[in-house]
Amino acid sequence: MISDEQRAQLEHVREMLQVRMKDKPRRYEHSLGVARTCARLAQAYDVDEFEAVLAGLVHDWDKVVDDHELLTRAAQYGVNVVGSPTAAVGLLHGPVAAHELPHIFPGISDRVCQAVARHTLGALDMTPLDMVVFVADAIEPGRYGDYAERLRAFVGNAALEELFFQTFAQGLVYVISTGRYLYPTAIDIYNSYAAKR
C-alpha cells in the first residue's frame, strides 16, 4: 500500500521525469506504463509497491542521454562493462542512471537503484524488485506483439522467477533474431535460471 506521503513523492518524480523527457514524449509514456505495470506486478507478487513504482518511473532516466555521453559517464562512474562498451551502449542507461539517481533524488533506496541498473542486463541474483522492473519494461501496455500478450498471461499464474525467466528468454530470442549484439553475461544468466527450473 502506498501512503499519501509516498504518492506525493511519486508525483514529484513524475513531474521531474516529464520535464526531463519533454522532447521524448513516447519515452515518457513508456515510463508511465512501466510504473503502472510495476504496481500491478508488485501487488501480484508481494513486492514493495512504492519502490516498484518509483523504479518503474526512473528506469529510463538516462535513456535521453546520447551514446557518447553515456560511454563517458559509464567510464567516469566505473561501470563494469563486459565486452565492448561501444556495442553495449544501448544497455548502459540503466547502470549509469543507478549512479546518478541518489544525487538527484536523495533518499532513493539502493534497492531501487539496483533494479534500475539491472533492468537492461539482468543479473545472476535478481531480487523480486529487480524482476518486477525487468518484466514490467517488457510487458507494459505500449509493448505490442504476441510475446507481450503471452508474457502478460503469466502474471499471477506463474511464479515471479518463472515470469522473469520467460521474459529474459524472450529478450534473447529478440536480440538473436535481429542480429544485435548479445551482451556476454546473457548466456550465463539464462543458464543459471534455466538450471533452477
Side-chain angles (χ1 to χ4, degrees):
M1 191 73 160
I2 297 178
S3 70
D4 290 341
E5 180 183 341
Q6 289 171 330
R7 285 191 194 286
Q9 290 175 339
L10 292 172
E11 179 59 19
H12 172 67
V13 171
R14 187 203 60 74
E15 289 170 356
M16 289 184 66
L17 183 71
Q18 186 173 30
V19 170
R20 183 163 179 84
M21 297 189 168
K22 67 183 183 312
D23 296 328
K24 304 270 187 182
R26 289 181 61 186
R27 180 64 47 193
Y28 173 69
E29 288 302 322
H30 165 72
S31 296
L32 296 183
V34 171
R36 286 190 297 269
T37 305
C38 280
R40 200 172 101 240
L41 290 167
Q43 292 166 4
Y45 292 105
D46 197 26
V47 171
D48 185 286
E49 188 178 353
F50 170 72
E51 288 193 333
V53 172
L54 178 56
L57 281 173
V58 299
H59 80 287
D60 274 353
W61 184 262
D62 274 346
K63 192 75 171 176
V64 298
V65 176
D66 70 46
D67 289 356
H68 176 74
E69 183 63 23
L70 268 178
L71 288 168
T72 300
R73 292 183 192 185
Q76 176 186 347
Y77 302 144
V79 172
N80 181 34
V81 180
V82 179
S84 166
T86 304
V89 71
L91 304 170
L92 296 180
H93 63 279
V96 169
H99 284 273
E100 297 176 344
L101 290 170
H103 304 287
I104 300 164
F105 302 107
I108 195 170
S109 76
D110 291 343
R111 294 177 300 277
V112 169
C113 291
Q114 176 177 284
V116 169
R118 291 179 169 186
H119 91 272
T120 55
L121 300 171
L124 291 169
D125 59 343
M126 297 284 280
T127 67
L129 178 60
D130 298 342
M131 292 182 196
V132 161
V133 178
F134 190 96
V135 170
D137 190 29
I139 69 168
E140 63 96 0
R143 301 289 195 195
Y144 301 104
D146 293 342
Y147 82 91
E149 290 301 322
R150 187 176 64 78
L151 292 171
R152 287 182 193 118
F154 277 101
V155 175
N157 296 313
L160 180 57
E161 192 168 286
E162 178 64 16
L163 177 58
F164 165 72
F165 174 76
Q166 293 293 333
T167 305
F168 192 84
Q170 180 58 51
L172 293 184
V173 168
Y174 173 76
V175 168
I176 292 167
S177 69
T178 56
R180 295 171 189 241
Y181 177 73
L182 182 63
Y183 196 72
T185 61
I187 298 301
D188 289 339
I189 295 168
Y190 174 85
N191 284 336
S192 174
Y193 282 92
K196 293 178 186 179
R197 296 176 77 222

